[in-house]
Amino acid sequence: MESVEALVAHILGLSGSTEEISHLHNLLRQSEDTLQSNAPQLGQFLVQLDPSKHSLGYLYILEAYLSSPTTKEQAGELVPSIARFINSCLAEQIRLAPEKFISICKYFKDEVLRRQSPLMGVAPMRTAVWKLKSSSEHLTTLHPDFLLLCLLAKCYKSGLSILEEDVFEVDQPRDFFLYCYYGGMICIGQKHFRKAIELLHNVVTAPMSSLNAIAVEAYKKYILVLLIHNGQFSTAYPKYASSVAQRNLKSFCQPYYDLATSYSTGKIAELESCVETHREKFESDNNLGLVKQVVSSLYKRNIQRLTQTYLTLSLQDIANTVQLNTPKEAEMHVLQMIQDGEIFATINQKDGMVSFHEDPEQYKSCEMIEHIDSSIQRIMVLSKKLNTVHELISCDPAYLGKAGRERQRFDIDDFDSVPQKFNM
């Protein structure tokens, strides 16, 4: 077992070619006990290494150093050093010991949260995610940590950058649950409700052997966002949702079911009464802001219904019909809906009349054609991936063995009571 000094010498001399890195990796693995036993003294050796050249060796020594007890002051001093390492390290080297890189990044995340400085961690953690993942489709255990920092720092746009990529490869189920939950919250913060619904839907319908708190909280937000964006919520679960979710989720979300029922009546007074009844619950769940958006969306839904009946209507009539206090409030709602593209109308300021129009979109612009084409291409890629997965499963010995046993139980010959020969 070599000394730390000798190991550092190897790191300095074996960080060039692929063969050297492979040999160094073997030496580092053999020296883990030495590093652990000398953990408190390893800080002095880190200054001898360049993280942009000696990434693998730096990673092993830094991870061992962080395993030793540190004071709050020492931990605070380490945060900038870890950030510099994350930003400058070589991806191909740190991927040789991903569990150690993950350990360092999680230590970094915990420290910036302890210091109540999540913004400090956003950029380095984003870099860490890019360097750790093997492809754009790979969901690492650092994805949820990065999204959590984005949420707490209110850097929603930074979080959106990794939510745009399709995920097909997941290391741990919990990472997927948290990724979709935090991602859904980021999309809600940016009012990208369609994407938020997709992500929260993934949490609710993901396979689970027992109900978890992430799924429960996601389902509450899922109901609220569906009401805001679609104006309706169905209590029926998709067939592919787990039986655990179908049996248990409703019992944890009854106030939200009550809210959806009140919303479906279209009556503002009834909806507001339901909100007051469950206000304490909505507040303790940190969902009161979303609930208020649900109430606001019902005003919009009721205004949209008017566009299906009337060509013109006064602001006073709109206020009376949808139970707003003044024509000015009605005007503000109509203007916001026009700006958001939810209705097509013009307001005559002189007589206070609103004229409703048809949707001007003809679906023949270059932008629309490009959008449709990109959607088709994405679906084709997804179809190919599904076929590949299907082929892999079809050749899996474990699957074939189980399928064979099931087939024997339900063989059609077992149920065929029609005689093969008839006596005439």
Side-chain angles (χ1 to χ4, degrees):
M1 192 174 296
E2 297 190 26
S3 66
V4 178
E5 290 82 359
L7 188 62
V8 170
H10 284 307
I11 293 171
L12 291 170
L14 296 173
S15 294
S17 66
T18 304
E19 292 77 13
E20 289 178 345
I21 293 295
S22 178
H23 179 50
L24 175 62
H25 193 198
N26 290 329
L27 292 174
L28 288 168
R29 282 184 293 196
Q30 293 168 13
S31 302
E32 288 202 65
D33 290 340
T34 302
L35 292 175
Q36 290 296 327
S37 61
N38 292 278
Q41 291 80 43
L42 292 178
Q44 58 183 309
F45 297 101
L46 287 172
V47 297
Q48 302 178 34
L49 303 175
D50 182 348
S52 65
K53 296 179 181 177
H54 316 118
S55 303
L56 184 61
Y58 197 102
L59 173 63
Y60 265 79
I61 293 178
L62 178 59
E63 192 266 345
Y65 181 50
L66 295 179
S67 67
S68 63
T70 54
T71 64
K72 289 185 178 181
E73 290 73 19
Q74 289 173 323
E77 293 172 0
L78 280 169
V79 167
S81 298
I82 297 173
R84 285 193 294 272
F85 169 69
I86 292 172
N87 289 327
S88 60
C89 69
L90 299 173
E92 60 270 21
Q93 290 194 26
I94 60 98
R95 285 180 193 161
L96 295 173
E99 70 290 341
K100 294 187 179 297
F101 186 68
I102 290 168
S103 175
I104 288 173
C105 291
K106 287 187 177 291
Y107 178 96
F108 174 76
K109 182 262 299 184
D110 291 339
E111 278 304 310
V112 296
L113 291 182
R114 187 184 63 78
R115 298 172 65 176
Q116 298 182 345
S117 303
L119 183 59
M120 183 186 296
V122 170
M125 283 297 286
R126 180 181 180 182
T127 301
V129 168
W130 292 124
K131 289 187 175 182
L132 181 62
K133 63 181 183 177
S134 56
S135 71
S136 61
E137 301 168 355
H138 178 205
L139 177 66
T140 72
T141 193
L142 295 182
H143 276 76
D145 292 325
F146 168 64
L147 293 177
L148 175 60
L149 290 174
C150 291
L151 269 175
L152 297 176
K154 294 183 170 56
C155 292
Y156 302 136
K157 289 186 178 179
S158 296
L160 288 174
S161 63
I162 67 169
L163 293 171
E164 294 171 353
E165 297 176 336
D166 293 320
V167 171
F168 299 107
E169 184 183 342
V170 181
D171 291 337
Q172 297 292 334
R174 186 174 183 274
D175 297 333
F176 179 75
F177 279 100
L178 286 174
Y179 167 81
C180 291
Y181 179 63
Y182 291 150
M185 292 176 68
I186 284 175
C187 290
I188 290 171
Q190 287 293 96
K191 296 193 182 300
H192 293 179
F193 293 127
R194 187 186 298 276
K195 182 66 175 179
I197 290 170
E198 175 189 325
L199 289 167
L200 295 173
H201 177 86
N202 289 342
V203 180
V204 175
T205 59
M208 61 183 89
S209 56
S210 60
L211 197 62
N212 62 73
I214 305 170
V216 172
E217 296 307 311
Y219 194 48
K220 294 172 182 177
K221 287 181 170 58
Y222 179 64
I223 294 171
L224 297 176
V225 178
L226 273 176
L227 292 175
I228 293 169
H229 187 67
N230 294 339
Q232 58 185 359
F233 164 71
S234 172
T235 58
Y237 292 88
K239 291 182 179 180
Y240 48 84
S242 69
S243 58
V244 170
Q246 296 187 45
R247 287 196 309 266
N248 300 302
L249 273 178
K250 182 178 179 180
S251 60
F252 288 92
C253 306
Q254 191 57 54
Y256 296 84
Y257 272 74
D258 294 344
L259 188 76
T261 301
S262 300
Y263 191 99
S264 65
T265 66
K267 298 176 181 177
I268 292 291
E270 189 170 329
L271 181 61
E272 290 181 335
S273 174
C274 181
V275 172
E276 286 305 312
T277 300
H278 299 294
R279 174 178 286 270
E280 187 176 337
K281 177 61 176 173
F282 295 144
E283 208 158 10
S284 66
D285 288 342
N286 292 319
N287 285 330
L288 189 58
L290 267 180
V291 169
K292 290 179 179 178
Q293 290 186 57
V294 169
V295 175
S296 178
S297 75
L298 185 55
Y299 286 111
K300 294 180 179 181
R301 297 292 167 195
N302 290 340
I303 291 174
Q304 283 179 326
R305 291 190 186 99
L306 295 177
T307 68
Q308 300 170 8
T309 307
Y310 301 96
L311 292 176
T312 58
L313 205 59
S314 70
L315 289 169
Q316 182 64 62
D317 287 338
I318 292 175
N320 293 340
T321 304
V322 303
Q323 301 174 40
L324 288 165
N325 295 324
T326 64
K328 187 64 177 176
E329 285 188 35
E331 182 180 11
M332 296 307 296
H333 273 84
V334 171
L335 284 172
Q336 187 62 52
M337 293 177 72
I338 293 172
Q339 182 178 335
D340 295 340
E342 295 171 332
I343 62 171
F344 305 95
T346 53
I347 301 176
N348 189 322
Q349 296 288 348
K350 290 184 179 180
D351 54 16
M353 297 297 292
V354 180
S355 300
F356 300 114
H357 311 303
E358 295 290 332
D359 183 352
E361 178 61 66
Q362 298 297 309
Y363 300 97
K364 59 183 180 182
S365 65
C366 292
E367 293 79 6
M368 182 57 66
I369 292 172
E370 289 175 2
H371 174 70
I372 293 172
D373 181 64
S374 66
S375 297
I376 293 172
Q377 294 298 326
R378 181 171 178 265
I379 292 170
M380 289 172 65
V381 170
L382 180 59
S383 177
K384 289 180 181 178
K385 289 186 178 296
L386 286 173
N387 286 333
T388 301
V389 172
H390 176 74
E391 290 173 3
L392 289 172
I393 293 175
S394 299
C395 299
D396 183 14
Y399 168 77
L400 292 173
K402 185 174 182 179
R405 290 192 296 273
E406 293 294 322
R407 188 177 295 112
Q408 289 174 9
R409 290 175 55 199
F410 301 105
D411 197 306
I412 192 169
D413 291 338
D414 294 341
F415 302 92
D416 189 359
S417 58
V418 179
Q420 299 300 312
K421 295 182 180 179
F422 296 90
N423 294 321
M424 300 300 289

